[in-house]
């Protein structure tokens, strides 16, 4: 389903978008909010099993998604991307699981992508949450049982991760080096992730580091009030 125009309120209390019930081409999204479709509110969307993204915000601004349930996407369950025009989205109380990439994802190329997530959970994905060159805020999100890292931030300065629970990620034992609670950058990532904050989080039972800063990542604040334990390679 593709939304068109501005100032849209879409509400569903029953029903779903089931990718298994349609003849899908490759990379088709369940809900697409494209360029110039701004000021949109989605209530309770239930989308699954799409060959692309389940919910895809592409260069749209002032988007709010409330209580989405998204799972089994061949790409990311919920994605916000900004290539040549800015994108901005808030997601409130998501449930995102069993995607073949990230449960929730943001990426920017020649524009600005802003994604804020409040509450909810992301689990049993390849990564719980991923960001590339985006401005992200994660507040009170529960991220667990993902096959690789719980949260991955690449070139994503000024991030905020506050009050999140990040635990029991890295369930795929074949992905050595990518089984951390939170991974910030990697070797060769440019520009580095800087000036972010991780505060009031509980990070535990990850098979590598609780928080792993790599490459040139620097000037990020890891507050003393975080609670970290049972991360096999160390907390930080």
């Amino acid at each position: 389903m593709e939304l068109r125009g501005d100032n849209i309120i879409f509400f569903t209390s029953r029903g779903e978008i089931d990718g298994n019930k349609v003849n899908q081409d490759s990379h088709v999204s369940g809900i697409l909010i494209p360029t110039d479709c701004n000021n949109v509110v989605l209530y309770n969307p239930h989308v699954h099993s799409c060959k692309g993204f389940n919910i895809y915000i592409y260069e749209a601004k002032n988007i709010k998604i409330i209580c989405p349930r998204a799972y089994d996407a061949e790409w990311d369950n919920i994605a916000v991307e900004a290539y040549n025009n800015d994108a901005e989205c808030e997601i409130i109380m998501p449930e995102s699981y069993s995607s073949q990439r990230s449960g929730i994802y943001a990426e920017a190329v020649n524009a600005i992508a802003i994604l804020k997530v409040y509450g909810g959970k992301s689990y049993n994905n390849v990564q719980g949450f991923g960001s590339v060159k985006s401005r992200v805020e994660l507040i009170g999100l529960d991220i667990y049982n993902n096959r690789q890292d719980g949260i991955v931030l690449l070139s994503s300065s000024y991030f905020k991760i506050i009050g999140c629970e990040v635990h029991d990620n890295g369930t795929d034992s074949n992905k050595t080096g990518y089984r951390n609670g939170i991974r910030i950058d990697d070797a060769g990532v440019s520009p580095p992730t800087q000036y972010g904050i991780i505060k009031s989080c509980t990070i535990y039972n990850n098979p590598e580091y609780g928080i792993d800063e790599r490459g040139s990542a620097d000037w990020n604040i890891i507050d003393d009030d975080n609670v970290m334990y049972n991360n096999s390679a160390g907390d930080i």
Side-chain angles (χ1 to χ4, degrees):
M1 181 179 71
E2 181 173 345
L3 302 182
R4 291 288 188 180
D6 293 342
N7 305 312
I8 297 171
I9 298 177
F10 179 83
F11 175 83
T12 176
S13 59
R14 295 184 179 181
E16 62 188 34
I17 295 175
D18 182 352
N20 293 315
K21 293 184 178 180
V22 296
N23 294 321
Q24 295 186 76
D25 295 325
S26 297
H27 312 157
V28 169
S29 299
I31 296 176
L32 169 61
I33 305 176
T35 305
D36 298 327
C37 185
N38 303 309
N39 307 316
V40 173
V41 181
L42 298 181
Y43 289 94
N44 300 319
H46 178 186
V47 189
H48 65 91
S49 307
C50 294
K51 288 188 175 180
F53 307 107
N54 280 327
I55 301 173
Y56 184 30
I57 296 91
Y58 178 73
E59 298 185 347
K61 295 188 289 294
N62 196 23
I63 309 301
K64 183 174 289 187
I65 305 175
I66 301 172
C67 297
R69 184 181 178 204
Y71 56 94
D72 287 342
E74 290 193 10
W75 286 11
D76 309 295
N77 277 328
I78 305 172
V80 178
E81 294 189 334
Y83 281 80
N84 296 302
N85 298 287
D86 296 346
E88 182 182 0
C89 180
E90 291 186 4
I91 304 173
I92 300 170
M93 295 300 295
E95 183 177 10
S96 178
Y97 58 96
S98 301
S99 77
Q100 296 305 306
R101 299 204 310 201
S102 294
I104 304 171
Y105 180 75
E107 181 175 358
V109 180
N110 296 314
I112 298 172
I114 298 173
L115 174 57
K116 301 177 182 180
V117 183
Y118 301 102
K121 51 191 175 181
S122 182
Y123 58 96
N124 290 348
N125 307 285
V126 173
Q127 299 172 162
F129 180 91
S131 172
V132 178
K133 297 183 179 180
S134 300
R135 299 281 182 91
V136 297
E137 294 184 14
L138 308 180
I139 312 295
L141 182 62
D142 190 4
I143 298 179
Y144 61 96
N145 286 352
N146 295 287
R147 295 191 288 281
Q148 297 183 29
D149 302 301
I151 297 172
V152 179
L153 304 170
L154 304 179
S155 299
S156 296
S157 293
Y158 304 100
F159 69 85
K160 295 180 181 178
I161 301 174
I162 300 174
C164 293
E165 192 163 348
V166 186
H167 59 98
D168 298 287
N169 296 288
T171 60
D172 186 346
S173 60
N174 294 317
K175 297 298 182 180
T176 301
Y178 299 95
R179 304 173 67 205
N180 306 283
I182 301 172
R183 175 165 60 88
I184 304 172
D185 286 348
D186 207 342
V189 171
S190 181
T193 298
Q194 298 177 318
Y195 312 119
I197 184 168
I198 302 172
K199 180 177 174 58
S200 304
C201 294
T202 305
I203 304 169
Y204 60 95
N205 290 355
N206 300 289
E208 293 181 344
Y209 288 99
I211 301 172
D212 188 6
E213 280 192 302
R214 301 183 181 179
S216 299
D218 202 0
W219 300 105
N220 297 299
I221 297 173
I222 301 173
D223 200 281
D224 288 342
D225 71 353
N226 294 296
V227 176
M228 292 184 277
Y229 58 93
N230 289 348
N231 299 294
S232 298
D235 292 333
I236 302 173

